[in-house]
Amino acid sequence: MVTVMVRDETATGRAVDSWPLTGLPERISARELVRLRVREEVARFNAERPRHFRGLVQPTDTEATLNGYRVAPDRRLDWEAQADRACAAFAHNGFLLLVGDHQVDDLDEEIDLRADPDVAFVRLVALVGG
């Protein structure tokens, strides 16, 4: 099993957030990597219940703010719905996926995480206030 460092970046390359994602297989499709990342961030949100969700894509029925997406109090997010939204956003150039120095162009592309344990998600949509 492999641990990768996941990093969110702006289009200018500024790191916004980073965290380790553990227990991954050595080889994984880009789609599964995106889905596992989203599952982890939704699990953290549902466990902590902050006012804002700072995930890869905006959940439905939320408001974009400077601090992320404002979520109604006591709302739990569905990780599978968020993962589906993330895969759709990738297909529509909502974000780039960089593994090491390589840009992933296809969600079906297989990634060797032993060779490149550094993963960056670069958001291409304008952020509120950013």
Side-chain angles (χ1 to χ4, degrees):
M1 298 307 250
V2 177
T3 297
V4 298
M5 184 54 77
V6 174
R7 188 175 60 256
D8 285 341
E9 294 181 358
T10 64
T12 61
R14 182 176 60 87
V16 176
D17 196 8
S18 66
W19 67 93
L21 189 56
T22 61
L24 300 178
E26 294 175 350
R27 297 188 68 78
I28 190 170
S29 72
R31 180 182 319 278
E32 193 61 23
L33 180 60
V34 169
R35 292 183 68 80
L36 289 172
R37 174 251 159 89
V38 170
R39 185 179 74 183
E40 175 66 21
E41 72 188 11
V42 168
R44 286 186 300 166
F45 174 83
N46 286 339
E48 297 169 9
R49 300 288 180 98
R51 291 191 62 186
H52 293 89
F53 176 66
R54 294 181 50 173
L56 184 58
V57 293
Q58 182 173 0
T60 57
D61 300 326
T62 62
E63 177 187 353
T65 69
L66 184 59
N67 297 321
Y69 307 110
R70 185 174 299 137
V71 179
D74 298 324
R75 178 176 173 201
R76 294 181 59 82
L77 297 179
D78 175 353
W79 81 265
E80 289 177 314
Q82 281 301 106
D84 291 344
R85 290 176 65 84
C87 289
F90 179 88
H92 292 97
N93 298 319
F95 63 90
L96 300 176
L97 175 57
L98 304 175
V99 179
D101 292 332
H102 171 70
Q103 180 178 333
V104 175
D105 295 322
D106 185 340
L107 285 176
D108 294 324
E109 182 175 329
E110 192 164 293
I111 300 166
D112 183 352
L113 295 176
R114 292 170 302 169
D116 290 311
D118 185 44
V119 176
F121 291 84
V122 182
R123 298 173 196 216
L124 300 178
V125 291
L127 298 175
V128 174

